[in-house]
Amino acid sequence: MGFFTSVLGIIGFVIGIPIGLILGFFVLIYSQPTHQEYPPARPLVETSISVLLDLLPEIPLWMKNPDYERVDWFNKFISYMWPYLDNAVCGIIRSSAQLIFADFVGTFCIESIEFENLSLGPLPPTVHGVKFYETNEKELLFEPSIKWAGNPNIVLVLKVLSLRIRVQLVDLQFFAIVRVALKPLLPTFPCFGMVVVSLMEKPHVDFGLKVLGGDVMSIPGLYRYVQETIKRQVSSMYHWPQVLEIPILDASTASVKKPVGLLHVNIIRARNLLKKDLLGTSDPYVKLSLTGEKLPAKKTTIKKRNLNPEWNEHFKLIVKDPKSQVLQLEVFDWDKVGGHDRLGMQLIPLQKINPGEKKAFNLDLIKNSNVVMDSGDKKKRGRLELDLRYVPFREESLKSRNKSQDEYQRKESRDEKSSEDDDFLSQAGLLSVAVQSAKDVEGKKKHSNPYAVVLFRGEKKKTKMLKKTRDPRWNEEFQFTLEEPPVKESIRVEVMSKGTGFHFRSKEELGHVDINLGDVVDNGRINQKYHLINSRNGIIHIEIRWTTS
């Protein structure tokens, strides 16, 4: 029976396999497919929230907020550069940590502290989006969203009473939105003076800490306490408006010298000047300027045929560096034909003048500023009398904005001359007008070579002309020294254009704006963009400052 069963099994196997293959072949060839069609594609906006979260567990910031932009190219750059950045950053951490470790060595029985391993790991941080801000200041402001889930290998060894304690940092995570400002923007490479960093919200910091091989963060309550402590400490130092300033350029290179005060010069008289004319007289005048300034020199009136002239003329000079600048005084003999003869000169360093103090000078005129060459000249060239007073600018406006404007216009007469001087100096100040840029300026004529004209109290000052542009950037500043605050006055800025080349074309006004200076005096500074009058879409960016002495 057993033999018969085995024979039947073999025969069934031999016959069944060929029959099964033949039947399967015919079924595969002649049967019709009955599979279900794929569902039609639909936009993401029509997808349910649950399905969308399954497809995208973590939606990128540039998708959730249209103000943020993708920076895949930057992440790829960081990825390629990360091995080198890792070594560079770790080197900085080692050098900085040595000074900190040195303060703890010798205390709490600590004999030494050193890094056994220091590496940030193979995973670089990623920027999930960047938001840029347009401001009126000379700065570049942006906010990157940074996320870093790294696996650093940081092992610190503490030697306490000859016992080596290994502390290891593992599974570090850091999420934060950082505000970065590159300012001030400068014409010197890399074109900004410093990097200012601040956090816009409390950062998320998570990590594991192993001591002697055990994870101390698993202790109940310790993990949350450490998390909150780190967030609180970091926020107190760098949460906006607290900032971290990282200087890039040297202060002397990065600093753009701004006016810090006014030098009031009163040219009183001169005595016993040289005779340069054929009739035994001279026609003297005084030319005065500060070193390091590109502004034109100030001049007194010309006193015809007078060797002992009386001027009593007052001038105001803008001071930018009282420690290094020098007042240069030159007395000339005016001639109708040819160059004017210099009768003598003298130099006064501003560091000799105490701020706010009125100081009188009675100077012997010399031939030139070269001491070696002038020592051989024994000729007496006369004397020059003058008064100087250096008055630094205040940090705030002349008056608070709550005071009446009538106080600016009030100027009472006084009997004593010193009181008149004090009242005069208290109201004097400097009006600085910075024409930054314009946008969408266009005229009826084909040419568009814009330049700006600043009109104030009969004075006209122009920026450089930029060819073939509708969005010019001038970044030029003009200054006006005033005897009193311009409370009820206005200043006009016009944008003009003129043709270039061989063909003459008339000038064309592309627009203008009138700015009330009362707001400038009240606030000390305005920095705004104005719509140009008589222009379709033109906008001009102007900054005006009022500083008082």
Side-chain angles (χ1 to χ4, degrees):
M1 187 68 181
F3 174 76
F4 181 73
T5 303
S6 301
V7 172
L8 290 178
I10 295 173
I11 295 173
F13 177 77
V14 172
I15 298 174
I17 288 180
I19 294 175
L21 291 176
I22 294 172
L23 292 176
F25 173 77
F26 282 101
V27 170
L28 180 65
I29 294 298
Y30 295 103
S31 63
Q32 297 294 330
T34 59
H35 65 273
Q36 188 178 0
E37 296 183 356
Y38 292 105
R42 293 187 301 171
L44 289 178
V45 293
E46 299 179 2
T47 308
S48 64
I49 297 298
S50 59
V51 175
L52 184 62
L53 292 177
D54 292 337
L55 294 175
L56 298 173
E58 186 176 353
I59 301 177
L61 191 60
W62 54 267
M63 291 185 62
K64 296 186 293 185
N65 192 335
D67 293 335
Y68 281 82
E69 300 180 9
R70 299 179 64 176
V71 285
D72 295 340
W73 65 270
F74 185 74
N75 290 327
K76 186 173 293 186
F77 171 78
I78 294 294
S79 177
Y80 288 150
M81 292 293 296
W82 183 245
Y84 308 98
L85 292 173
D86 181 12
N87 294 332
V89 173
C90 290
I92 296 175
I93 294 177
R94 285 183 183 274
S95 59
S96 302
Q98 286 180 357
L99 301 177
I100 301 176
F101 295 163
D103 296 335
F104 289 94
V105 173
T107 60
F108 305 106
C109 301
I110 298 177
E111 298 180 2
S112 65
I113 305 176
E114 59 184 11
F115 284 106
E116 182 177 288
N117 293 313
L118 180 57
S119 174
L120 300 182
L123 299 178
T126 57
V127 180
H128 283 231
V130 177
K131 182 179 181 181
F132 287 89
Y133 291 90
E134 183 178 355
T135 66
N136 293 337
E137 307 297 333
K138 293 183 178 180
E139 64 180 7
L140 177 61
L141 187 64
F142 57 96
E143 290 181 2
S145 175
I146 302 176
K147 293 188 177 182
W148 183 33
N151 53 347
N153 183 17
I154 302 177
V155 180
L156 192 67
V157 177
L158 287 78
K159 190 174 182 180
V160 180
L161 297 177
S162 301
L163 177 65
R164 290 172 58 86
I165 302 176
R166 297 178 76 256
V167 180
Q168 184 178 6
L169 181 69
V170 296
D171 300 332
L172 176 63
Q173 296 183 5
F174 176 80
F175 306 152
I177 296 180
V178 184
R179 172 169 290 184
V180 182
L182 309 180
K183 63 179 184 180
L185 300 181
L186 303 168
T188 304
F189 189 80
C191 300
F192 56 90
M194 68 173 62
V195 179
V196 181
V197 181
S198 59
L199 298 174
M200 300 311 299
E201 58 187 26
K202 290 184 178 181
H204 170 76
V205 182
D206 189 11
F207 60 91
L209 191 65
K210 293 184 177 181
V211 178
L212 297 177
D215 189 1
V216 298
M217 302 301 291
S218 60
I219 300 176
L222 180 62
Y223 175 78
R224 181 175 297 275
Y225 172 77
V226 172
Q227 286 280 340
E228 295 299 327
T229 302
I230 292 176
K231 289 183 179 180
R232 185 168 55 252
Q233 292 297 327
V234 174
S235 299
S236 65
M237 293 187 295
Y238 304 123
H239 196 189
W240 191 86
Q242 303 295 330
V243 297
L244 170 65
E245 296 183 352
I246 306 174
I248 301 298
L249 292 178
D250 183 68
S252 59
T253 305
S255 61
V256 178
K257 291 185 178 180
K258 297 290 184 180
V260 296
L262 288 179
L263 179 65
H264 298 263
V265 183
N266 183 25
I267 305 296
I268 302 175
R269 65 179 66 89
R271 289 288 182 265
N272 303 321
L273 297 178
L274 293 179
K275 302 174 183 179
K276 287 292 183 178
D277 294 341
L278 296 176
L279 300 179
T281 60
S282 293
D283 304 322
Y285 70 92
V286 181
K287 183 178 178 181
L288 57 157
S289 62
L290 285 174
T291 57
E293 280 293 333
K294 297 180 180 180
L295 299 175
K298 306 282 187 179
K299 297 180 182 179
T300 65
T301 57
I302 301 171
K303 300 297 182 180
K304 296 292 187 67
R305 295 182 294 277
N306 196 337
L307 299 179
N308 299 288
E310 296 275 349
W311 284 290
N312 286 316
E313 297 182 15
H314 186 272
F315 301 91
K316 295 185 291 293
L317 301 178
I318 300 171
V319 179
K320 294 184 177 179
D321 190 358
K323 294 183 179 180
S324 63
Q325 285 187 294
V326 176
L327 175 63
Q328 182 171 317
L329 302 160
E330 298 176 286
V331 182
F332 287 91
D333 172 41
W334 179 83
D335 290 326
K336 184 179 295 186
V337 180
H340 301 174
D341 300 323
R342 188 164 71 176
L343 303 178
M345 67 167 299
Q346 192 55 264
L347 302 175
I348 303 178
L350 296 190
Q351 59 183 359
K352 292 184 177 181
I353 307 171
N354 296 326
E357 178 184 350
K358 186 176 181 180
K359 192 170 184 179
F361 291 88
N362 192 352
L363 306 172
D364 289 321
L365 297 177
I366 59 178
K367 184 177 180 180
N368 51 54
S369 59
N370 193 324
V371 179
V372 178
M373 296 179 61
D374 191 70
S375 60
D377 183 32
K378 302 299 183 180
K379 183 185 297 186
K380 294 184 178 181
R381 299 178 175 273
R383 302 179 68 85
L384 180 65
E385 297 182 23
L386 68 153
D387 292 334
L388 297 181
R389 177 181 289 183
Y390 166 61
V391 183
F393 289 138
R394 302 175 188 173
E395 295 183 358
E396 302 177 352
S397 299
L398 179 63
K399 302 289 183 181
S400 64
R401 66 181 67 180
N402 297 327
K403 292 191 176 181
S404 172
Q405 292 184 352
D406 294 337
E407 294 183 16
Y408 294 111
Q409 301 298 328
R410 184 182 60 194
K411 190 175 183 180
E412 301 176 353
S413 59
R414 292 175 172 82
D415 297 333
E416 297 181 2
K417 185 176 180 180
S418 60
S419 300
E420 293 179 357
D421 292 340
D422 293 340
D423 182 70
F424 172 76
L425 292 176
S426 66
Q427 301 191 41
L430 178 69
L431 183 69
S432 303
V433 182
V435 183
Q436 305 288 0
S437 61
K439 190 175 182 180
D440 294 333
V441 291
E442 55 181 342
K444 298 179 180 179
K445 301 184 182 294
K446 294 182 180 180
H447 60 75
S448 182
N449 306 311
Y451 63 95
V453 180
V454 180
L455 303 171
F456 181 66
R457 289 188 178 181
E459 291 188 62
K460 180 187 290 186
K461 299 187 177 183
K462 300 180 181 179
T463 66
K464 58 180 177 292
M465 183 182 69
L466 301 179
K467 296 182 180 180
K468 298 180 180 180
T469 178
R470 294 182 179 180
D471 302 319
R473 287 186 174 271
W474 296 291
N475 292 323
E476 295 189 32
E477 183 172 319
F478 307 101
Q479 296 164 342
F480 303 88
T481 54
L482 308 179
E483 298 179 0
E484 57 186 12
V487 178
K488 297 183 178 180
E489 298 183 68
S490 62
I491 190 169
R492 167 171 285 207
V493 180
E494 299 177 350
V495 180
M496 306 291 295
S497 177
K498 64 180 180 180
T500 58
F502 298 101
H503 300 284
F504 175 78
R505 295 180 182 179
S506 59
K507 299 178 182 178
E508 179 185 8
E509 180 181 335
L510 306 181
H512 70 274
V513 62
D514 295 311
I515 303 174
N516 183 13
L517 296 179
D519 296 335
V520 182
V521 175
D522 290 341
N523 300 312
R525 173 180 179 266
I526 61 172
N527 187 12
Q528 297 181 8
K529 293 180 179 179
Y530 301 89
H531 288 277
L532 291 170
I533 302 174
N534 297 333
S535 176
R536 181 180 301 176
N537 301 313
I539 296 175
I540 188 168
H541 179 197
I542 301 174
E543 178 187 1
I544 305 178
R545 298 188 306 274
W546 169 249
T547 47
T548 59
S549 55

